[in-house]
């Protein structure tokens, strides 16, 4: 069982990308916005929508900061609605269900400034994902992941009749040991989408046998039946609840507990019980709880429940 502890990507560490930040015009204090007009902020990399007519001179970034201030009671009126991150920054916004989209390819270069041992992607729609790591001018790691799911092809008939099902997730945990790498990621395809890219330090928790992995679906859709039996449905996002049983040495319990304690409060991480895509044993989410059971003189079993992030 491994986890990737995410390192945030910021304006300082994102060195290059081919994704433009031009979803809408940049907010201007001189522009009068009508109800429903959009604007973006290049400071917070956020898309906003105007909620009122004759909206002029009201900085959406300042309004959001005021709304987060507990000393401000029910600010009125509210001029702006947050739609989400700009297309460029959706790759790193922590919301896999809101992907960055671009025709042909999406590529970016980051210099995180710290050791990076693993990288994972979620909500991916691409033919290939190439990850390269540089030490100065020298490329020391180059791995291309083919985003094809061939698990349904079990015989020649399935080869010809099964529909093409691309993989949506990938994970690599063998990036070279280097203190300050330069990482270049390139995704290619006809219409590329990236829900989330997560990179960071890889921590080994213990051993998770195949029989110690289970998961279930969590659907946020709205389904209601009226008095006449008619269904009223609204399809929303769905995610995965993963249950991992991890066998660890007793001598490691304290350090593992410190890691889990540091991830409390909904802190996201990439949880990897198996890197085999067909097992669906990878989840980007937060733990809902854990339980430790001493099962022998030298070992213990930690049960961890993880809820995926949408």
């Amino acid at each position: 069982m491994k986890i990737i502890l995410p390192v945030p990507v910021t304006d300082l560490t994102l060195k290059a990308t081919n994704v433009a930040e031009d979803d809408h015009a940049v907010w201007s204090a001189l522009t009068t916005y009508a109800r429903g007009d959009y604007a973006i902020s290049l400071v917070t990399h956020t898309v906003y929508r105007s909620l009122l007519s004759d909206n002029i001179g009201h900085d959406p970034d300042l309004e959001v900061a005021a709304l987060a201030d507990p000393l401000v009671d029910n600010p009125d009126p509210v001029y702006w609605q947050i739609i989400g991150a700009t297309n460029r920054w959706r790759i790193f916004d922590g919301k896999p269900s809101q992907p960055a989209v671009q025709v042909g390819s999406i590529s970016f270069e980051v210099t995180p400034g710290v050791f990076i041992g693993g990288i994972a992607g979620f909500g991916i729609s691409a033919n290939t994902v190439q990850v390269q790591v540089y030490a100065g001018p020298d490329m020391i790691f180059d791995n291309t992941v083919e985003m094809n799911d061939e698990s349904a092809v079990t015989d020649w008939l399935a080869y010809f009749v099964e529909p093409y099902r691309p993989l949506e997730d990938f994970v690599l945990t063998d990036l070279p040991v280097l203190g300050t790498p330069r990482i270049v990621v390139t995704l290619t395809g006809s219409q590329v989408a990236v829900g989330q890219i997560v990179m960071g330090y890889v921590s080994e928790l213990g051993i998770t046998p195949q029989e110690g992995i289970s998961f279930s679906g969590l659907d946020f859709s709205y389904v209601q039946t009226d008095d006449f039996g008619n269904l009223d449905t609204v399809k929303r996002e769905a995610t995965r609840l993963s249950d991992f049983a991890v066998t660890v040495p007793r001598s490691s319990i304290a350090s593992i507990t410190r890691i889990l304690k540091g991830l409390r409060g909904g802190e996201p991480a990439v949880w990897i019980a198996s890197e085999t895509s067909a097992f669906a044993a990878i989840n980007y989410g937060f733990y809902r709880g854990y339980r430790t059971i001493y099962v022998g003189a030298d070992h213990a079993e930690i049960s961890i429940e993880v809820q995926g992030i949408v």
Side-chain angles (χ1 to χ4, degrees):
M1 179 76 182
K2 302 176 183 177
I3 59 173
I4 298 177
L5 303 174
V7 172
V9 176
T10 67
D11 289 286
L12 294 177
T13 59
L14 180 63
K15 297 302 182 181
T17 177
N18 70 342
V19 182
E21 195 169 20
D22 58 359
D23 310 49
H24 304 281
V26 178
W27 177 83
S28 170
L30 302 178
T31 301
T32 300
Y33 296 92
R35 178 180 170 86
D37 285 351
Y38 290 86
I40 67 171
S41 167
L42 298 182
V43 177
T44 60
H45 309 295
T46 303
V47 178
Y48 295 101
R49 181 169 62 177
S50 176
L51 295 176
L52 299 175
S53 299
D54 298 323
N55 184 355
I56 183 171
H58 302 103
D59 188 331
D61 287 343
L62 294 180
E63 179 178 279
V64 170
L67 291 171
D69 187 344
L71 298 179
V72 178
D73 295 326
N74 300 320
D76 184 40
V78 176
Y79 289 91
W80 295 98
Q81 174 192 13
I82 297 176
I83 300 301
T86 57
N87 195 45
R88 171 183 291 180
W89 287 90
R90 287 181 180 179
I91 302 172
F92 315 111
D93 69 347
K95 300 177 180 177
S97 62
Q98 299 181 14
V101 179
Q102 184 162 276
V103 175
S105 71
I106 288 179
S107 66
F108 60 88
E109 176 183 324
V110 295
T111 54
V114 295
F115 170 69
I116 298 294
I119 183 169
F122 301 89
I124 304 295
S125 177
N127 294 333
T128 61
V129 180
Q130 183 180 29
V131 178
Q132 298 171 312
V133 180
Y134 291 84
D138 301 322
M139 184 172 65
I140 59 174
F141 180 87
D142 188 0
N143 193 332
T144 298
V145 180
E146 300 287 339
M147 300 299 289
N148 301 320
D149 183 5
E150 300 177 351
S151 60
V153 180
T154 56
D155 52 35
W156 280 107
L157 178 61
Y159 177 83
F160 287 106
V161 302
E162 278 291 332
Y164 172 71
R165 295 185 177 91
L167 293 172
E168 296 182 349
D169 308 332
F170 78 90
V171 63
L172 299 172
T173 60
D174 58 345
L175 273 62
V177 178
L178 187 68
T180 54
R182 179 165 61 93
I183 302 172
V184 178
V185 179
T186 304
L187 303 95
T188 59
S190 56
Q191 180 81 4
V192 179
V194 182
Q196 195 69 193
I197 296 291
V198 184
M199 61 187 73
Y201 174 72
V202 178
S203 182
E204 187 90 37
L205 295 187
I207 299 173
T208 301
Q210 186 172 338
E211 60 272 15
I213 306 170
S214 64
F215 62 88
S216 57
L218 178 61
D219 189 358
F220 297 102
S221 299
Y222 173 90
V223 181
Q224 181 172 305
T225 306
D226 64 19
D227 293 338
F228 300 95
N230 300 309
L231 282 181
D232 180 17
T233 62
V234 176
K235 184 175 288 188
R236 296 172 178 166
E237 296 296 334
T239 189
R240 183 188 304 164
L241 294 176
S242 302
D243 290 288
F244 303 115
V246 187
T247 301
V248 303
R250 283 198 177 189
S251 58
S252 301
I253 292 177
S255 61
I256 293 173
T257 301
R258 283 194 296 269
I259 293 173
L260 295 175
K261 184 178 179 181
L263 292 172
R264 69 190 186 280
E267 284 291 326
V270 180
W271 306 79
I272 310 162
S274 172
E275 296 184 37
T276 303
S277 299
F279 290 174
I282 303 168
N283 204 349
Y284 172 60
F286 60 94
Y287 80 83
R288 296 174 53 165
Y290 67 93
R291 183 167 181 261
T292 302
I293 303 174
Y294 293 93
V295 294
D298 300 320
H299 293 83
E301 185 175 281
I302 301 179
S303 300
I304 307 173
E305 182 183 23
V306 175
Q307 178 173 324
I309 295 175
V310 298

